[in-house]
Amino acid sequence: MLNALQGKRIIVGVTGGIAAYKAPLLVRLLVKAGAEVTCAVTDHALQFVTELTLETVSGHRVYKELFDRSNPHSTEHISLKDWGDALVVAPATANIIGKIAHGIADDMLSTTVLACKAPILLAPAMNTGMWTADATRANLKTLRDRGVQTVGPGSGMLACGDSGDGRMSEPDEIVAAIDRILNAKKDLSGLRVLVTAGATRERLDPVRFLTNDSSGKMGFALAEAARDRGAEVTVVRGSVSAAEPGGVRIVPVESALDLYDAMMRECGAQDIIIQAAAVADYRFAEIKGEKMKKQPGSGRLTLELVENPDVAKAVGDKKRPGQILIGFAAETNRVIEHASEKLKAKNLDMIVANDVTQPGAGFNVDTNIAALITREGRTDLPLQTKRSLAEAILDRAAALYSSAD
Ligand code: CTP
């Protein structure tokens, strides 16, 4: 990251959450990467971090008051808006997210964000309940649709004692996200990329289904990364708990059969297809029209399952020259062997193998440990965020695409 942000000016907005204690570290890392940094803070932020600390690490005065008469600019409240090449709000509380979504400008930071034309990045941090609240979801969707980018949050222990989604991304991840925005590679410009994400749901009756733990996080990270690298992105998504990315076309599906139909329709037009969805291999032989009733005293119930189509294999059978197909293999044993067999059986160009028994890998976490297997060989990757794994997968996909005939 050394000098990656040389000559760039970054406005760091800090709002009032406990994660504000990490803001000085973020500022330091940005300065170390070569950036010039100015902070704009809310009153509440100053309950968690001091003005002096931010001023010292950034080397610039901290902006906090709308009508500060000591300011050299006559219109203090909008004086910062043209200064930055990017504006990052870290931490971004539910409150500032709501204000930005609705155009509320009642302090130095919200006024700056409203008037700012530079790219905006939010690093949300809040309690899981606030993060999953309908209002926060809707506000984020509004912002993402307007092109505002987000990094995180991750999940883990929260200051309130709960554990779950809502932890601010680490400062180095936020710097990496700013680097991606300001130094974006556009190597997928003009390419059509389709990503499958999430879990399928196999219905039993109107109120019950068979599914798995996939959150959609890996697929969405891939979709966001491909979008940022200039691709035209389609996401065929099953059931997900992660927030949908903006700026991509979403095709919702429920069951493996729905996924199959959608993929048979969509796959011909795509240049790169990455199948991160966790697809049920079996479905119920019969979907009951009415809710199944308990049979008291029966002791045991047997339900019949029938095999689902292998979607990736069907896509592989239809593969056209030049198209790049990538699959995932979540394994618990003989990882490389099983994944390599799938690479061949499904006519894939690459398979991303992960051992889901390792801590930090697999379903419903923010990180992953994977090996990229192609016909040429294999690369083992270290534990990293799903976003940075997505970038590594796309680096290989882009190389495979340009060397394909
Ligand atoms: N896949 C698919 N259709 C299925 C099952 C899997 O398209 N019915 C895709 C997944 O999206 C993934 C790849 O195939 O990209 C491997 O999925 P995985 O579940 O690991 O493999 P399976 O072929 O189902 O083998 P097994 O469950 O026996 O490990």
Side-chain angles (χ1 to χ4, degrees):
M1 208 46 74
L2 202 65
N3 294 336
L5 297 173
Q6 193 64 47
K8 304 288 188 197
R9 291 168 152 189
I10 317 282
I11 304 166
V12 175
V14 185
T15 63
I18 180 65
Y21 82 90
K22 293 183 182 171
L25 184 57
L26 170 65
V27 173
R28 255 191 76 78
L29 291 181
L30 288 168
V31 170
K32 250 175 118 175
E36 201 183 331
V37 179
T38 296
C39 298
V41 301
T42 62
D43 285 346
H44 286 156
L46 296 179
Q47 304 281 328
F48 296 93
V49 62
T50 72
E51 194 179 344
L52 183 61
T53 309
L54 292 171
E55 228 165 65
T56 309
V57 285
S58 68
H60 281 281
R61 60 172 292 220
V62 167
Y63 286 72
K64 57 174 183 168
E65 274 161 37
L66 266 181
F67 305 107
D68 178 357
R69 304 218 340 258
S70 67
N71 175 33
H73 303 277
S74 55
T75 46
E76 167 90 350
H77 62 293
I78 49 167
S79 58
L80 257 187
K81 75 175 173 49
D82 298 321
W83 183 85
D85 294 303
L87 189 160
V88 53
V89 185
T93 54
N95 184 45
I96 191 80
I97 290 170
K99 281 194 197 176
I100 304 172
H102 295 280
I104 295 170
D106 62 354
D107 61 9
M108 184 64 206
L109 178 60
S110 52
T111 314
T112 304
V113 177
L114 183 63
C116 183
K117 292 275 174 287
I120 295 172
L121 175 72
L122 305 178
M126 64 198 75
N127 159 272
T128 309
M130 294 172 93
W131 173 245
T132 52
D134 290 346
T136 309
R137 304 265 101 184
N139 289 337
L140 276 162
K141 177 155 182 5
T142 303
L143 291 172
R144 289 193 178 119
D145 288 346
R146 265 184 224 153
V148 171
Q149 305 207 33
T150 53
V151 53
S155 55
M157 274 303 287
L158 303 173
C160 55
D162 287 358
S163 177
D165 278 345
R167 253 175 91 95
M168 187 173 84
S169 291
E170 292 304 323
D172 60 336
E173 290 168 42
I174 301 173
V175 175
I178 295 170
D179 175 48
R180 281 194 297 268
I181 291 171
L182 291 178
N183 301 316
K185 273 196 257 178
K186 292 289 176 195
D187 57 342
L188 300 178
S189 269
L191 295 190
R192 277 182 281 218
V193 174
L194 182 149
V195 180
T196 71
T200 62
R201 281 183 175 182
E202 308 301 325
R203 284 239 151 248
L204 171 61
D205 69 12
V207 296
R208 300 185 179 95
F209 51 78
L210 182 68
T211 190
N212 59 64
D213 277 332
S214 174
S215 58
K217 284 180 176 172
M218 189 66 235
F220 286 174
L222 281 158
E224 284 171 354
R227 173 201 65 197
D228 294 347
R229 288 165 75 153
E232 193 184 310
V233 180
T234 301
V235 181
V236 182
R237 64 126 186 91
S239 145
V240 290
S241 55
E244 268 177 15
V248 303
R249 185 165 73 96
I250 303 270
V251 179
V253 295
E254 186 174 276
S255 65
L257 284 179
D258 294 342
L259 176 70
Y260 176 85
D261 290 342
M263 291 302 283
M264 290 302 99
R265 234 178 18 245
E266 303 281 343
C267 72
Q270 304 299 326
D271 298 304
I272 298 174
I273 297 178
I274 309 176
Q275 303 186 72
V279 189
D281 291 328
Y282 296 90
R283 65 181 181 278
F284 291 105
E286 189 195 340
I287 302 178
K288 318 264 188 219
E290 305 292 340
K291 183 183 169 203
M292 272 181 73
K293 300 308 267 179
K294 182 169 62 183
Q295 304 291 329
S298 56
R300 157 186 311 235
L301 170 72
T302 305
L303 292 166
E304 197 184 351
L305 298 173
V306 293
E307 199 176 338
N308 269 328
D310 186 322
V311 182
K313 178 161 185 331
V315 171
D317 289 342
K318 280 173 66 119
K319 181 178 178 196
R320 54 174 179 75
Q323 201 173 38
I324 300 301
L325 304 182
I326 300 169
F328 271 74
E331 307 289 348
T332 56
N333 68 331
R334 296 182 22 230
V335 178
I336 302 300
E337 208 178 314
H338 284 144
S340 307
E341 281 160 16
K342 289 177 190 173
L343 176 80
K344 287 198 203 88
K346 299 180 195 232
N347 197 20
L348 299 168
D349 299 282
M350 177 161 87
I351 193 149
V352 184
N354 41 65
D355 179 347
V356 288
T357 61
Q358 290 193 59
F363 291 135
N364 229 335
V365 288
D366 301 304
T367 52
N368 215 340
I369 309 167
L372 306 186
I373 306 174
T374 63
R375 286 169 196 261
E376 275 69 54
R378 115 176 187 235
T379 314
D380 291 318
L381 300 175
L383 174 75
Q384 57 192 315
T385 62
K386 287 188 171 170
R387 174 63 190 242
S388 87
L389 175 59
E391 299 287 350
I393 293 168
L394 291 177
D395 287 345
R396 289 304 292 274
L400 287 167
Y401 182 81
S402 52
S403 62
D405 28 87

